[in-house]
Amino acid sequence: MVYWCLMKPEDLNQLVAELSPAEQAAVRQFILFLKGGKPPETSFQAAIDEFIAAHPELLHRLAQ
C-alpha cells in the first residue's frame, strides 16, 4: 500500500505521471473534489441530472 500522505510532493508527482491519461484525469477530479471545487460534469452525470429534472414525481414515488 502506498501512503501518499507521507510521500514527498515530487514522489507523488512521479507516481501520478506514471498513470494512464484516464487515471490522471480521475486524480485531477478527485483533487478538485477535495478542494471543494466542482469537478467537470461528465456526459453520464449530465444525463442523470436531466433525468432527475424531467421526472421528479416518478423519483418521489419510487422513494416512498
Side-chain angles (χ1 to χ4, degrees):
M1 176 182 282
V2 176
Y3 293 95
W4 59 269
C5 60
L6 302 175
M7 296 177 75
K8 293 184 276 184
E10 56 272 7
D11 293 339
L12 185 56
N13 288 339
Q14 179 61 35
L15 181 66
V16 172
E18 295 172 3
L19 298 174
S20 72
E23 291 168 327
Q24 290 179 16
V27 169
R28 280 191 292 276
Q29 288 184 356
F30 183 63
I31 290 170
L32 280 174
F33 170 76
L34 291 176
K35 288 182 171 181
K38 185 179 178 197
E41 212 172 69
T42 63
S43 58
F44 180 73
Q45 182 64 48
I48 291 172
D49 292 341
E50 183 179 330
F51 181 84
I52 290 170
H55 304 286
E57 182 61 30
L58 172 64
L59 294 171
H60 178 72
R61 289 176 188 235
L62 287 172
Q64 293 180 340

